[in-house]
Amino acid sequence: GFRRIGLCLEQWSHLRSNGLWLAGFLEIQQLLPKTERVRPLLLPDGKFTADRIGRWIGRERPDVVIIHGRGPDETIPEVFLKHAKPAIPVVLDNWAGRPYAGIDQEYERMGAALADQLVGRLVHNERGIPEHPSLTLLEGTWVDHPMLNHAKEDGRRAGR
């Protein structure tokens, strides 16, 4: 039911993803009617602040904002909610217990998988860089938030 979806990234995050988060976002935006497009906010490192994000929200008026930075400070949820039409933050790299919806990357499980791989290499007397490296992917867990459910219900009532 959300129409205007925004993206807010810090520069290091953009570079770490090889630009793929921004590229995917921009591709989807081109498929939307112009009235539903939201210009992304790409912030320089260290500038992931409530003030900058608040000005962007006021200008772009997104319903939901996908964000990723070094850890949004605790004032950012207030920035999302203080506008006439609140925007809901969704965090790509959410931590359990944070006041956001988003993806919990399950860092404890990642650490356990890494430890298992390391123990397996030691048991097999393998040293150095693997001759045939492997990639282990672990699925994150979606963390819902009451703001999302409330907004979904409002959207249904409005016929979206």
Side-chain angles (χ1 to χ4, degrees), residues 43-72:
L43 292 167
D45 292 342
K47 304 295 183 185
F48 198 81
T49 64
D51 182 52
R52 285 185 179 238
I53 294 171
R55 286 194 311 259
W56 173 79
I57 290 171
R59 194 172 52 246
E60 293 296 321
R61 300 178 338 273
D63 297 329
V64 174
V65 179
I66 300 167
I67 60 176
H68 192 265
R70 292 198 192 276

Side-chain angles (χ1 to χ4, degrees), residues 8-138:
C8 178
L9 297 174
E10 199 170 7
Q11 184 68 27
W12 75 269
S13 174
H14 171 64
L15 295 173
R16 190 180 87 183
S17 73
N18 292 320
L20 293 176
W21 283 338
L22 182 59
F25 177 80
L26 291 172
E27 180 180 6
I28 295 298
Q29 290 290 307
Q30 295 307 306
L31 302 174
L32 298 174
K34 287 186 180 183
T35 58
E36 293 179 10
R37 293 180 190 170
V38 176
R39 286 182 294 175
L41 178 63
L42 184 59
L43 292 167
D45 292 342
K47 304 295 183 185
F48 198 81
T49 64
D51 182 52
R52 285 185 179 238
I53 294 171
R55 286 194 311 259
W56 173 79
I57 290 171
R59 194 172 52 246
E60 293 296 321
R61 300 178 338 273
D63 297 329
V64 174
V65 179
I66 300 167
I67 60 176
H68 192 265
R70 292 198 192 276
D73 69 40
E74 299 303 322
T75 63
I76 289 179
E78 296 168 15
V79 169
F80 283 87
L81 299 175
K82 77 176 189 177
H83 293 274
K85 181 182 172 202
I88 299 169
V90 174
V91 182
L92 289 170
D93 197 3
N94 205 4
W95 292 82
R98 297 295 298 270
Y100 311 103
I103 303 168
D104 179 354
Q105 300 291 349
E106 306 256 359
Y107 291 114
E108 288 181 11
R109 281 187 33 220
M110 282 187 202
L114 176 61
D116 286 347
Q117 287 180 359
L118 182 58
V119 167
R121 288 184 47 84
L122 291 172
V123 165
H124 292 100
N125 201 27
E126 297 173 2
R127 306 272 190 261
I129 297 173
E131 186 175 337
H132 302 286
S134 64
L135 180 65
T136 301
L137 296 176
L138 300 175

